[in-house]
Amino acid sequence: MHYGRLSPDGVGHADAVLAKLMRLWTSEPNLDPAHLAAVSAPTLIMSGDRGSIPPAHSLLIAASIPGAQLAIVPGAGHGLIAERPELISTLIRDFLAHA
């Protein structure tokens, strides 16, 4: 209902957008963890313990980036920034202070 009201493409385009999102959610990003070894910037990987991304996947990403830090945020899903803003802010400030 809201999509049709807001989209310049109209209601009929909602199915195309949903199909693209489903493909994105189920198959992207498709990165070889070995390629992450080239990342040289300080990196903080964060995900919620109740999110759609399994903690093991976040661990693999963090382990593949040299020196990366991992924060699994308790009680949070994919919207962890909105769900746990104070904790996220503390984690980011601490990370940046030591990066």
Side-chain angles (χ1 to χ4, degrees), residues 16-43:
V17 170
L18 185 56
K20 289 178 182 179
L21 286 171
M22 290 301 288
R23 188 173 59 248
L24 172 70
W25 293 333
T26 58
S27 65
E28 298 291 337
N30 189 10
L31 299 172
D32 180 348
H35 291 141
L36 296 174
V39 174
S40 60
T43 304

Side-chain angles (χ1 to χ4, degrees), residues 26-93:
T26 58
S27 65
E28 298 291 337
N30 189 10
L31 299 172
D32 180 348
H35 291 141
L36 296 174
V39 174
S40 60
T43 304
L44 173 62
I45 306 297
M46 292 197 307
S47 63
D49 67 349
R50 299 179 184 171
S52 56
I53 299 170
H57 185 71
S58 298
L59 177 61
L60 174 62
I61 292 169
S64 299
I65 299 172
Q69 293 183 28
L70 173 63
I72 302 294
V73 180
H78 192 66
L80 58 110
I81 294 172
E83 295 167 10
R84 303 291 309 268
E86 296 84 12
L87 178 56
I88 299 302
S89 179
T90 298
L91 291 169
I92 292 172
R93 278 195 304 271

